[in-house]
Amino acid sequence: MPQVKVTIQRGAGLHARPAAEFVKLANRFAAASSVRLNGRQANAKSILGILSLGANRGSEVELEVDGVDAERAMTALRDFLATASE
Amino acid sequence: MQPDELTAQPEVAAASTDMSVARHAAAGLSELLNTDTVRLHVHASTPNEVIDRAGGLLFAEGGIEKRYIEAMKGSLVANGPYMVIVPGLVLLHARPEDGAVELCMSLITLDPAIPFGNPDNDPVTIAIAFAATDNKGHLDALASLTTLLGNETAMATLRASDTVERALAAIRAGSGPEPSVSGSVTGGMRNAAG
């Protein structure tokens, strides 16, 4: 099960708009995906799960992806988090 | 936060001092939402009026300063439709430093439903406003809500409630302690594989 550590650079972190966009992105893929921070794990396809992680800019999270399109999902999700918003 | 504590088996955690944590998190929603902080069939014409009504309940409880209500309106302008996080439900809050006095939460059901500008999740029939004095309280409140909002049965019952007592019963039923104890946040409208 591919796992990758990412330091969040997007916006102020996984709140409000970035969280909604991240979840939308995760839902585009068949693969299951999760984000882990400080021992807590949230389903990346669930806005509530992501919001209650409280991941801020600078937080290092662990992305875990599993499924048919896992590689593409992993790349997309990792790049989303690692890239400062335009 | 020790990962070991958070991933402990529920029964072990319940037996240990983590019980106080579980009770705090579980009692969270059921204590915060009561006959003073829940109102049904509220009539409002605009999103700002919704904030006035939901925020007014927090202010009456002494949970926030008046300026927190304005801060929630500002947050709506900044984040807008993204606060309608799941179909029909808007989450209203500002930052601790915007005038939060203590951890508090209110819930109002809206009649008629009000559009907030989210094409996927409009119109809004339930508005939940909350405030916390620190980041941890803020996240705990969100985690408690996650449990309730992910419980489709409880949410359906809540929406259909015609008395505050029935609404509170639905909230109690939907706010189980387990996810907080295990530390795994897998809530969401679709609870499938978790």
Side-chain angles (χ1 to χ4, degrees):
Chain A
M1 208 165 302
Q3 284 175 359
V4 117
K5 286 197 164 74
V6 188
T7 300
I8 299 181
Q9 302 292 353
R10 168 81 54 162
L14 280 175
H15 309 293
R17 184 195 300 244
E21 288 174 345
F22 179 77
V23 169
K24 224 177 195 173
L25 183 60
N27 274 292
R28 279 213 219 123
F29 300 98
S33 45
S34 67
V35 182
R36 187 185 279 270
L37 174 65
N38 293 335
R40 294 170 74 205
Q41 184 168 317
N43 178 358
K45 296 186 179 183
S46 158
I47 182 64
L48 287 166
I50 289 299
L51 282 178
S52 45
L53 261 191
N56 297 317
R57 183 195 190 89
S59 295
E60 188 187 65
V61 299
E62 205 169 85
L63 262 181
E64 192 171 296
V65 182
D66 185 31
V68 167
D69 49 6
E71 253 190 68
R72 287 193 299 123
M74 181 66 92
T75 304
L77 294 174
R78 184 199 59 209
D79 288 351
F80 180 91
L81 292 177
T83 313
S85 42
E86 347 20 277
Chain B
M1 217 177 285
Q2 276 77 42
D4 299 303
E5 281 175 7
L6 291 170
T7 54
Q9 295 300 319
E11 51 281 5
V12 174
S16 75
T17 52
D18 282 347
M19 183 61 180
S20 63
V21 173
R23 205 181 308 131
H24 170 78
L29 275 194
S30 298
E31 281 176 0
L32 295 173
L33 294 174
N34 52 53
T35 52
D36 292 323
T37 54
V38 173
R39 290 287 180 274
L40 308 184
H41 307 307
V42 172
H43 181 84
S45 312
T46 65
N48 272 355
E49 267 187 54
V50 174
I51 295 177
D52 280 330
R53 297 297 299 270
L57 293 174
L58 298 181
F59 178 68
E61 284 294 283
I64 59 169
E65 298 171 24
K66 261 266 164 74
R67 63 189 175 101
Y68 192 86
I69 299 180
E70 298 309 309
M72 286 195 285
K73 290 178 184 171
S75 180
L76 187 63
V77 171
N79 296 309
Y82 296 100
M83 294 168 84
V84 190
I85 53 171
V86 294
L89 190 144
V90 68
L91 214 54
L92 304 164
H93 64 95
R95 295 162 306 182
E97 59 267 29
D98 291 328
V101 173
E102 60 184 23
L103 181 64
C104 56
M105 188 180 291
S106 66
L107 186 153
I108 63 176
T109 65
L110 302 171
D111 187 6
I114 303 288
F116 272 63
N118 184 312
D120 298 320
N121 294 334
D122 268 354
V124 172
T125 53
I126 301 179
I128 299 179
F130 72 93
T133 53
D134 59 21
N135 202 43
K136 181 177 189 312
H138 196 106
L139 292 181
D140 284 348
L142 274 176
S144 299
L145 276 175
T146 296
T147 309
L148 171 64
L149 269 49
N151 185 324
E152 295 197 24
T153 310
M155 288 303 293
T157 309
L158 177 57
R159 269 187 219 103
S161 298
D162 53 359
T163 67
V164 171
E165 286 68 32
R166 290 225 183 91
L168 289 174
I171 290 166
R172 268 193 301 275
S175 308
E178 289 219 36
S180 310
V181 171
S182 67
S184 170
V185 182
T186 55
M189 290 307 280
R190 270 155 280 282
N191 246 338

